[in-house]
Amino acid sequence: MSKKAFKSHASSSRAVSGPLGGEGAVFGGSSGTSAFGAVPSSPLSYVYEPPDLSGFSDPNVGVAFKNLQKKDGTTKAKALEDLQSYVSSLGAETGGVEEAVLIAWAKIYPRSAIDSSRRVRQLAHTLQGHLAISCGKRMARHMHGVAAPWAAGKYDNDKSVSRAAKESFERVFNSEDKIRNVWRLYQVSMLEYARDVVVKETATTLSDERTTSSDDSSAKYWRVVGASIMMVTDLIESISAADIEKCRKLLIEFLNEEKLWRLTSDSDAFVRRALYRLLGTVLARYKDTLNSSTISTSVILSGLNTTQSGSAFDYAKVLALLSIELPDVWTTYYPGSGKKSAANRLCQFLKKGSQGGPPDFWSQIAALLSNLPQSILSKPVDTESDKQVDGEKDSPNPVLSALREGLNSKDEPRANRFAAWDAYLTVSDLALSSSPDEATRRRIVKTSVLPILAQYVRPSSDSSRWVTTVAQGQDVCVRACNQAILRDAASFEEEWNALSNTIIEDLKTSLPEQAKDYSKSQDSFSAEAYRWYCLQAALLEGNGQDIVGKIFEYTVPSEISSALSVLQTRNGKPYGAAAALETSIQKLPQIVLGDGACKAEVLTFVNDMIPNLLLSPSAKCLIRILNHLEGSCDISRSYDKCIQVLAETPESAPKSIALQSFISSPSLAITDSLFAMVIASLNQAMKDDDSMSWNLVMAAMSNPVAPESLTDEVLAIMTEGLSVNSKTVTGLHGLEMTIKHNSGKMTEFARSPKGSSLLSKLLLLADSPEDRVAQRARYTSTAIEKALAAQGGASQAASSLIEIVNTGLNTAEAASLSTEALVAQARKVLGNSSPHDMPTMVQDLLPDHNQWKAAMAPFISRIPDPSLAITNAFGGSMSMISPISSTAVKQEISRDGDGHSAALRIAHYTTHLIKSTSVFDSATQEQKTTICKYMALFLQLASDNLSVPVSMPLWGPNDPELESEIVDFVAGAQSLLVSWLHSRDPSISEIVSEAQKQLLDASHGLTPSSYYSGRAYSALTAEIAETHGPSVPTNDADLIKGLRKSNDAFVAAAYLTSASESEALFRLCNYLLTDLTGHEFLESPAEGMRKLCLVGCVLSRAQDYVNDIPQQRLIFFVQHMVGQLETSVSSLTVAGGQIMAVLLFILPAVKEIYGPFWSAILDQISKTGAQAELYALHASLKLLNLLRKPYILESNDDLLDAWTEKKMVVTKCLADLLMQLQGYPDDSHQPRRIVNALLKRQLVGLSHEVNVEVQDLYGVIASESAALQEAAYELLHSRIPANQEQVSIDKALSNEFVAQLPEELVSLILAPPSMTSMAEHDFERNIPPSLRSYILSWQLTFDHWEKASYKVQVDYVTALKEGTYTQDLLDFMFNILIKGRQKPIDASKYDFQTFGLGGDQTPEQETHGALIHLYYLCLRRLPSITKDWWRDSTSRQLSMAVESWTQKYISPLVIAQELSVISDWAPSQSTADQPMTVKVSPSAREITASIPIDEQTMTIAVRLPPAYPLARAEVESLHRVGVAEKKWRFWIINAQGVINFSSGGAGEGNSIIDGLMAWRKNVTAAMKGQTECAICYSVVSADRQLPNKKCSTCKNTFHSSCLFRWFKSSNSSSCPLCRNNFNYS
């Protein structure tokens, strides 16, 4: 605010203070005076005396009150919020705010309550309520000043403000009696407030025109005035006449204030509405207090002439009330005449219409005109001032004309039309009843009533002012006709006959089929005829039915006859005539069929003509005519003939239309030929998706009388089509349309046996890869489920879904629903089930024992793969399964579309349902036990299939993506089972215990099922023991003792592999070892194998037992077992493997015992080959690994001697094994992978002893086993560098010798793996064997550089240049590292200076690290080839990306390595014949080379760019001495060329060294034979030149500069030495 404005405000504030600072007049008082003259003292005026703030105890409250006096609305709102917080913070015990605050607030509140800011007003009312509640009765003394603005606030035109005022008011006065008492006690204050607002206040007194715009000032003024008037209205309505007597005089004074009633012509609608409501209330209760003259002048004379937009309804209502309560205001007290007459002003008002008012406006107008004094209506209108609409000057009633103009106003809402015409007809009836003579009535009927009829029947743009609403047009027209019949029947009959003739004429002249607007013409006439006959039907039900009946009996037959004639002569093409005929028969049967001649004519047409017109455009109407006549006339002959005609007619659109009409008719239920036509149309629709055929089918499905056999047949065909690829989409289309047309028949079919597969097929399609099919299937299935629930309740829908779920669990077929879909349906059932039904639903949804058993049977009856003995705790026990118990022929496993078996489906469903819902909590104990038991069994089967694919075909052939999903699922199922095992809930523990018992009971026997049951029991028990400790049954001494002789091997294995250590278990182990020591396997192999397996099970749980067993017993046992291996048991069998497995536990305890058995054991190991059982091979390799451990090998001389003797045989066996196993992939074969890893470990540990041909190992690099690849790599990696020393010697001895890379190795790097195969491979699982082979082969290629001489390295580079090996490698690696990625791989995360596969990295990270390492080697070993590839790259984007990536990650290390090599080489150059000083600056990436010449030095610098070696090294001159610039430049270029374009390009600093050597060679050659100048005795002159002038006599050379100085100083041109004449040129 400007300073000027501030001063003005300050002076205004002072103006309301007395000379002593006292307050001005209080609220409601008269204007006071001051030393500065009279000033207004209104509590609402913006000029006021500020309240006294000196009595405030809290200064923050004073600040808030000061802010309330500011002009800015935001500031005032913030102040009110602060005050509200202050009031709320005061407790009830404090008694509320202090008195000074209340006094100040009483002065501030009235102005805040009418502030221009909505937020300020809202907060002011809310604060007033809080203050009143806080202060209680103390507020009463101030209520006279605040009651009126508070009450007026309830009528603020802003809803949020009025709501705030109302809520705060009702919060304080919380009953009707209290509110009524407020009105009664403060009625004087309220009336005075309203009077002062209306009489004294203006827009300029309420707002400061300096800071408020005129629009805002006016809006504030109108809001205050309107609210005050509405407050008075509520006051009058709220208190009784007796209570208001004490202020009656004040009320009369207020109501007779002319300024109040002049507000009727105010521009603000809110004020006008408030005033009209006040007037209505006063007329109802105190009309005697009103001044009729004032009311007539202001409300009628001025009001009728004022635009009443926004208040028209209230105005019309109060005018109607005035015409009843004070009719004299229209006549006696009305001051106007002539153009200002009441009739004139009223007509002007009516012509404006409702002015945006509601439909009730017109009902008030009707009431007004009905009660208006007759003298007003009978007065003529001044036509000069009130111009009438063209064509209405002859209207006998100007009021009716004004009404028509008003209701046809362009601003009149369409929703008001019916009410307006209703009011119009009310007024026209009033005019007709009050007309004095018949001629006048006839004129009114013809000009003001009957035009409604003509316009309704035949709409015309020339008579648009007679248009009625479409919806209620007939009702308006019926009322108009009845009015005309009652008042002037002759005029009505005349008009009706004319309309009938016009309709006949329209019928005959309708456009032919060839015309452009043919359809438009026929449709228009059809609509016209429909309105015509519907109107007649309505009139026949009215009061004048006798009169109209006679008229219709004359007109209708002629219309029927004309229609029949037109249809016959024009072959049914004018379908408007057929529509008229149909409507007449339908609406007026008593007239059409009541007339004998007319009926006969119609029946003749029906029987003779309709069959011939079935293919005409009138077919639909003609067939409906047959339906209308059925029952009242015999039309069977026509019907049969029509069906015959359609059956004989070829397929066409007209036939389809006619047939559709017949199928939609009730006759469908009795006509077999229509049945066949529907089925034929359905087959055509399913084949071609033909819309016409679908229309016929849907017509039948929509027909309520269609037989059930037909609808079931139709839906069965559609359902069957869902399973046929070519009909899937059309079948879905048909089902969608059926649901829309008749969902009831669809649900009936879905509940029937025929439709039992419908929902399941839809749900299967919902998982279709085609989005369009899946979306439509989901929509259809959801719609059917909703319909089932709506018709049969939730139980019906649930039963259907449960049946679908159980069908999906019991079968695994290509058409079976996915388990995800089954889970979704189960969840849907559970979500819609009540708590009462939940147990039943759960019992139906969870698979029972029989379902589990049937699904698992094909798998638990299979003999497991023998190699799986390596991966489970039962070990060799697997071999004890009786072959007789297993089916000779494996069952064919049925699978679903995803390749899942029933067992996998049921496990997948159960796991996901339990994890995603609370279904397990509601299951019975029996169900929970069944689930726990079979889930444990399933996990054993799944584990086997994951270890050895297809060994237990729970899912389809090996698919990496499918296997990844299965692994995740199995992990989830495992975690679910473990959560039950770890639970401390007694009920869960009981379930698990029962499952253990059932599994152990099922372990009896030697069947595959007993084997898997035992494994499942062992896994459960071991997991429980690990969590909760050993249970009592696992330490049962008697049971353990009995296992020694038990034939139930799997029960014993299950028990022992999960048993905890105990004395009984130790004794059993002793007994078993004793028994085996004397056992002959040839006599009883099964018994020996059983006991061996039991020993293995015991020692796997308690390995320390061997330390407590007498050593002698162990020695005897070892000697006997080794003897059995030599004589009775082959080490290649599972039994031999089991013996070696047991020896693994025993041998550490007898490691210090000497004996020949050590040599025998090594002999048995060396006999093991690829032909051995995998379990035996695994055991022998583990045994070898044990014997090679230092703590075993070095503790026994016999073993050490035996190893020394047998080492070569064993390593030969291992090498042979490597070659034999390379053809067996182990990527998905876990046992073979374990064996290969063990073999690799042995070969790497014995790499120096393994005697194998190098070239044979390259084939293993290409094998499908990662372990074997790495084993071959390690063997080659240890040999290749050593071989390079001999190659280097051969190269040095013979210049003709050319070093070559092995052909086998070159074949491996010939081409990289395809990018397609890389993209398809799952790198989360492993590195593809082909990629691993390629990487290892390149690493071996670079191994040839190690310990090879420079010349040999050059030969290798040359060999690689002969092909595109390196280029293919670089293309491949950067396709992976850079190309196709948003940003290149961050090489800083990898230690790429060293090579290694494995470790903690993921396969993808291993690949990236290996490729980066190879690129690093390419830059070091093959810089020239790498630069050529980069320079010749056709992709500039790739070239730039490689350069920046190399510069950022690789180049720094390559440069450091190069500089390190040069630093190591530099010292050797200072002692050469021509010494050269080489200095390396790593920080500057620079090498400087200097050669001393005389007393000066020649110096060059080699600078390596940041992207070296991709970017070229630069050679610069630092100091040139004794050589011409041209020659010096040549030397520089030559050195740079050697560095950057070395023919060998073998790297490791050699190119830079070659460049420096070339430069030194040039310098040495130039300095060779140079002698000192005989004048200066220096080789190099001051100007850095060599002696270049030679004496032809003495042959001495001189510097040209020295010789010139000599000639000049001696004044002679003779030689300084021989004094002969010197030929200078």
Side-chain angles (χ1 to χ4, degrees), residues 1346-1359:
E1346 297 292 337
K1347 298 185 179 180
S1349 66
Y1350 176 69
K1351 291 183 178 181
V1352 173
Q1353 293 180 10
V1354 171
D1355 286 347
Y1356 290 151
V1357 172
T1358 303

Side-chain angles (χ1 to χ4, degrees), residues 830 832-840 922:
L830 295 172
N832 295 330
S833 299
S834 63
H836 178 265
D837 297 332
M838 185 63 71
T840 304
S922 303

Side-chain angles (χ1 to χ4, degrees), residues 966-1043:
I966 296 295
V967 169
D968 292 340
F969 157 65
V970 170
Q974 181 72 36
S975 67
L976 178 64
L977 184 61
V978 168
S979 68
W980 296 337
L981 303 182
H982 289 185
S983 175
R984 301 213 175 252
D985 185 348
S987 62
I988 300 295
S989 300
E990 181 182 346
I991 292 165
V992 174
S993 298
E994 180 60 27
Q996 286 178 279
K997 180 178 179 300
Q998 292 182 13
L999 287 170
L1000 192 61
D1001 291 342
S1003 302
H1004 291 278
L1006 298 177
T1007 64
S1009 62
S1010 58
Y1011 167 76
Y1012 279 111
S1013 297
R1015 277 179 53 185
Y1017 170 85
S1018 174
L1020 286 181
T1021 308
E1023 184 67 35
I1024 295 171
E1026 184 177 340
T1027 305
H1028 303 297
S1031 57
V1032 175
T1034 61
N1035 291 319
D1036 190 332
D1038 293 335
L1039 178 60
I1040 292 175
K1041 183 179 179 181
L1043 296 178

